[in-house]
Amino acid sequence: MTASGAGAVLYAKNVTVLRRFYQSLLKLNEESVHVAADHIAIGTPTFQLVVWPVERQWNFGDHLVCDARDPEGNVIQLCEVPRS
């Protein structure tokens, strides 16, 4: 599934529940949903929605990235740059 055009990233407590919700809301079939071990991607020819679990740690190149919640419940993203 490849979308050309717009897209969005959504952080969720329950990725599976949101997959069902958006798939139903957008009236998409199973071929429009990509389910991976750590995220899902829901797409149309012009839009792609990627849903990640809120609290996770991942790498972007040589950077360590952490998605988390602050004390008010806001989603934050921290990035650690390696020392050179």
Side-chain angles (χ1 to χ4, degrees), residues 5 13 16 22 26 35 38 42 55 57 60 68 72 74 79:
K13 290 180 186 177
T16 303
Y22 283 107
L26 300 171
V35 178
D38 58 353
I42 301 169
E55 298 185 7
Q57 187 172 317
F60 181 73
E72 291 185 342
N74 301 304
C79 181

Side-chain angles (χ1 to χ4, degrees), residues 20-67:
R20 289 186 203 125
F21 172 77
Y22 283 107
Q23 186 176 355
S24 174
L25 177 74
L26 300 171
K27 298 180 179 17
L28 299 174
N29 59 30
E30 288 298 320
E31 290 80 42
S32 300
V33 179
H34 168 75
V35 178
D38 58 353
H39 72 282
I40 60 160
I42 301 169
T44 70
T46 58
F47 184 79
Q48 183 176 41
L49 174 66
V50 180
V51 183
W52 290 97
V54 171
E55 298 185 7
R56 67 188 179 106
Q57 187 172 317
W58 51 285
N59 292 303
F60 181 73
D62 57 354
H63 293 66
L64 177 62
V65 182
C66 180
D67 299 329

